[in-house]
Amino acid sequence: MTADTDTPHRLDDGHRELRLAVLLLALVMGLLITGAAVYLAREHPALAEPLGVGAAVMSALAAVAGVVVRALRR
């Protein structure tokens, strides 16, 4: 019996649902952190403008999520 070498097989195909769940959990946590940062900036206006803080936090979280996704795909 010969093995079919034309079909690509990934060793971790069974963990696709787990990866999706972790990614969605990270997204929810990111949104909660962003909301907390905007709320903090609203309560203490001397810290920063609320939308500026929210945008900075979201862009940082998006960058971290991109790095995590790239690392998981390898």
Side-chain angles (χ1 to χ4, degrees), residues 10-74:
R10 293 187 61 181
L11 296 175
D12 56 349
D13 276 341
H15 299 292
R16 184 171 290 166
E17 293 85 12
L18 179 62
R19 286 183 183 178
L20 180 62
V22 169
L23 188 60
L24 290 176
L25 180 63
L27 178 66
V28 168
M29 290 302 297
L31 290 174
L32 285 172
I33 291 169
T34 302
V38 169
Y39 175 76
L40 180 65
R42 272 190 166 288
E43 290 298 315
H44 303 284
L47 294 178
E49 296 260 338
L51 294 178
V53 170
V57 170
M58 281 303 288
S59 64
L61 289 174
V64 169
V67 169
V68 168
V69 167
R70 179 171 278 189
L72 287 176
R73 286 191 180 180
R74 289 185 179 198

